[in-house]
């Protein structure tokens, strides 16, 4: 089945419907990328700097596609989960660091995303957000533990499609000055725009997206013979769907919003009086779909890596993995009881992801240029990967500099310690690579 599938794709046979039906792993990554944290960054960028940062929005989709391509290549060449590959070729300590990195980042994100999903659901229905948290937790646990990966993929495809359609539809009722928007394609960074730009890029190039790719492809039984299909999957989900989503949200915010402190939900409520209730409703529906789609994909990430490290199966056919998945889904209900303004929480979560991402990129680049794979990366792929490493590392350093400048408390101190551990690990990994792969 797998060979026939990729063979048709390679020779130009088959139908578009067949290819779309076979796609899926990168749609799960796209569902996480098109989440409320990314939306918050896009709204802040448009509301604060009008169309100036459109080039960053476009660049983020391309950067996200490059990151997924590298992760895809590693997964297909090894045909194993990333944790197993790291443990086999780098050692157990590196595998443990990677698992802890992902669990901390994705676990923190899970609570905040649940809070966002519950808040949006409450805004749409008037029902208490805590009740919505319980509902979403049960839906996730039943769907994921009952159907496993297929439930995640179907949910991601449906909701990402809804998100894209909702925001594209918003463009029809929001007065966008496309001539002025075109000027935003010329790279420039106005004063004070650095952190906002970092947030936009950080949402597309994220540790959870990089590490989950090998597991979602394994769930589809993809091998290296499915290389073309996997590449097309990334192109349509990250470059096209995620790219359109990002541009649409940014253009809506840049066209009619002018408050840089506006929240995501507040943006939807503000659009009504400005350009009509239909725009506000569409925006809120898009936000809700983005939160739920991100929640579904993110729920699966820590169980994938933990199960792999423990030597368990990473499908619901293994009861231990199923219980782990259900437990993580139900545990996320606590996020709906956090309360408070979700935007500031999302910023912290995105920052944690930014701190954890350089290490994951370094791991992937190391393995792609070692004896872990039969075909080392091309120069172009390595240049792209190193560029991502530099960008993500710069974003992490900028965030830490801001944290240190504003003073160290218990929470920021914990974040700083987390960053230092990963920073040292990344440097040591680089030294090991030079010593073992370059100087031999």
């Amino acid at each position: 089945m797998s060979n026939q599938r990729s063979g048709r794709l390679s020779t130009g046979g088959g139908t578009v419907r067949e290819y779309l039906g076979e796609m899926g792993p990168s749609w799960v990554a796209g569902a996480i990328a098109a989440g409320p944290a990314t939306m918050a960054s896009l709204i802040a960028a448009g509301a604060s700097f009008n169309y100036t940062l459109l080039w960053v929005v476009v660049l983020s989709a391309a950067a996200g596609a490059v990151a997924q391509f590298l992760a895809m290549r590693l997964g297909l060449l090894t045909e194993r989960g990333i944790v197993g590959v790291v443990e086999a070729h780098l050692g157990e300590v590196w595998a443990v660091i990677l698992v802890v990195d992902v669990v901390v980042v994705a676990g923190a994100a899970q609570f905040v995303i649940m809070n966002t999903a519950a808040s949006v659901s409450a805004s749409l229905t008037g029902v208490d957000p805590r009740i919505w948290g319980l509902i979403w937790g049960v839906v996730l646990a039943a769907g994921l533990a009952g159907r496993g990966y297929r439930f995640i993929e179907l949910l991601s495809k449906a909701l990402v499609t809804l998100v894209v359609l909702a925001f594209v539809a918003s463009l029809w009722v929001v007065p966008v000055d496309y001539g002025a928007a075109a000027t935003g394609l010329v790279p420039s960074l106005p004063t004070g725009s650095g952190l906002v730009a970092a947030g936009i890029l950080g949402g597309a190039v994220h540790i959870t997206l990089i590490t989950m790719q090998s597991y979602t492809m394994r769930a589809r039984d993809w091998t290296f013979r499915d290389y073309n299909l996997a590449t097309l999957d990334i192109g349509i989900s990250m470059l096209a769907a995620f790219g359109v989503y990002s541009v649409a949200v940014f253009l809506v915010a840049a066209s009619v919003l002018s408050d840089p402190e506006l929240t995501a939900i507040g943006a939807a409520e503000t659009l009504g009086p400005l350009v009509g209730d239909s725009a506000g409703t569409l925006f809120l529906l898009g936000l809700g779909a983005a939160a739920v789609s991100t929640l579904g994909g993110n729920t699966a990430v820590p169980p994938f890596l933990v199960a792999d490290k423990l030597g368990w199966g990473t499908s619901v056919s293994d009861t231990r993995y199923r219980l782990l998945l259900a437990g993580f889904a139900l545990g996320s209900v606590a996020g709906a009881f956090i309360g408070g303004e979700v935007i500031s929480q999302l910023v912290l979560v995105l920052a944690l992801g930014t701190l954890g991402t350089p290490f994951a990129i370094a791991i992937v680049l190391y393995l792609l240029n070692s004896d872990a794979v039969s075909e080392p990366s091309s120069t172009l792929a390595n240049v792209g990967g190193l560029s991502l490493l530099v960008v993500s590392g710069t974003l992490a350093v900028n965030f830490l500099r801001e944290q240190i400048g504003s003073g160290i408390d218990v929470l920021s101190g914990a974040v700083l310690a987390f960053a230092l551990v990963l920073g040292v690990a990344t440097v040591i990994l680089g030294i090991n690579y030079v010593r073992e792969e370059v100087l031999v």
Side-chain angles (χ1 to χ4, degrees):
M1 177 69 176
S2 175
N3 296 357
Q4 294 174 349
R5 186 170 59 230
S6 58
R8 286 199 303 269
L9 184 58
S10 298
T11 59
T15 66
V16 172
R17 181 178 297 178
E18 288 175 334
Y19 297 154
L20 292 176
E22 294 291 353
M23 282 188 263
S26 288
W27 284 84
V28 180
I32 296 177
T38 301
M39 184 181 296
S41 298
L42 292 166
I43 291 172
S48 302
F49 304 101
N50 296 318
Y51 299 110
T52 307
L53 296 179
L54 179 57
W55 69 275
V56 178
V57 178
V58 175
L59 178 63
S60 70
V66 171
Q68 290 307 114
F69 174 79
L70 295 173
M72 172 211 82
R73 194 172 159 76
L74 179 63
L76 292 182
L77 285 169
T78 60
E79 297 185 9
R80 296 182 62 183
I82 190 172
V83 172
V85 177
V86 170
E87 189 164 18
H89 293 275
L90 296 178
E92 184 175 3
V93 171
W94 295 104
V96 170
I97 294 174
L98 181 62
V99 172
V100 171
D101 187 4
V102 172
V103 169
V104 169
V105 170
Q110 188 74 4
F111 291 117
V112 177
I113 296 167
M114 175 61 85
N115 190 21
T116 306
S119 298
V120 174
S121 299
S123 296
L124 286 168
T125 64
V127 176
D128 191 288
R130 291 167 293 185
I131 295 177
W132 271 112
L134 291 170
I135 293 173
W136 287 125
V138 171
V139 169
L140 284 175
L144 295 176
R147 299 191 61 189
Y149 169 74
R150 293 297 293 173
F151 174 79
I152 302 173
E153 185 180 292
L154 290 172
L155 181 69
S156 297
K157 284 182 176 179
L159 291 178
V160 168
T161 301
L162 175 59
V163 167
V164 173
L165 291 176
F167 289 115
V168 169
S170 297
L171 294 178
W172 290 95
V173 292
V174 170
V176 178
D177 185 342
Y178 289 100
T183 63
L185 295 173
V186 179
S188 66
L189 281 176
T191 302
S193 65
L195 288 179
V196 175
I200 295 172
L201 285 169
V205 183
H206 198 275
I207 183 173
T208 54
L209 312 183
I210 296 169
T211 54
M212 76 182 300
Q213 188 77 356
S214 59
Y215 299 100
T216 52
M217 291 190 302
R218 287 185 70 200
R220 271 303 198 116
D221 294 323
W222 282 5
T223 68
F224 190 71
R225 295 179 181 274
D226 298 287
Y227 193 94
N228 288 348
L229 177 59
T231 302
L232 182 62
D233 190 33
I234 292 172
I236 292 180
S237 63
M238 289 301 294
L239 276 179
F242 176 71
V244 170
Y245 154 84
S246 299
V247 170
V249 173
F250 175 81
L251 290 178
V252 169
S255 298
V256 295
L257 301 177
S258 58
D259 182 0
E261 302 299 323
L262 198 63
T263 67
I265 295 176
E269 295 172 344
T270 302
L271 282 173
L274 288 176
V275 295
D277 291 337
S278 58
T281 301
L282 284 169
F283 198 93
L284 198 57
L285 284 172
L287 172 60
V292 175
S293 66
T294 304
L295 191 64
N298 193 75
T299 301
V301 179
F304 271 144
L305 276 76
V306 172
D308 192 11
K309 181 65 186 71
L310 295 175
W312 300 351
T314 53
S315 71
V316 292
S317 60
D318 189 317
T319 303
R320 297 167 298 183
Y321 170 76
R322 176 179 289 184
L323 291 174
L324 185 64
L325 194 58
F328 191 72
L330 292 174
S332 65
V333 171
F337 292 79
I338 295 175
E341 177 47 56
V342 297
I343 294 301
S344 59
Q345 298 167 5
L346 288 169
V347 169
L348 179 59
V349 164
L350 195 58
L352 278 174
T354 300
L355 297 178
T357 299
F359 177 70
I361 295 174
I363 285 281
V364 171
L365 284 174
Y366 187 117
L367 293 172
L368 283 175
N369 289 278
S370 72
D371 59 3
V373 297
S374 57
E375 297 182 11
S377 289
S378 65
T379 300
L380 182 61
N382 282 331
V383 169
L386 288 173
S387 298
L388 290 178
L389 183 59
V390 170
V391 170
S392 61
T394 302
L395 300 183
V397 170
N398 284 340
F399 171 71
L400 288 177
R401 185 180 297 132
E402 182 184 77
Q403 288 295 300
I404 295 173
S406 60
I408 304 296
D409 55 20
V410 175
L411 182 59
S412 60
V415 171
L416 179 60
F418 177 68
L420 289 175
V421 170
L422 293 179
V424 170
T426 303
V427 171
I428 293 175
L429 187 66
I431 294 173
N432 287 347
Y433 175 77
V434 172
R435 187 179 64 224
E436 298 171 8
E437 302 292 337
V438 177
L439 300 180
V440 293

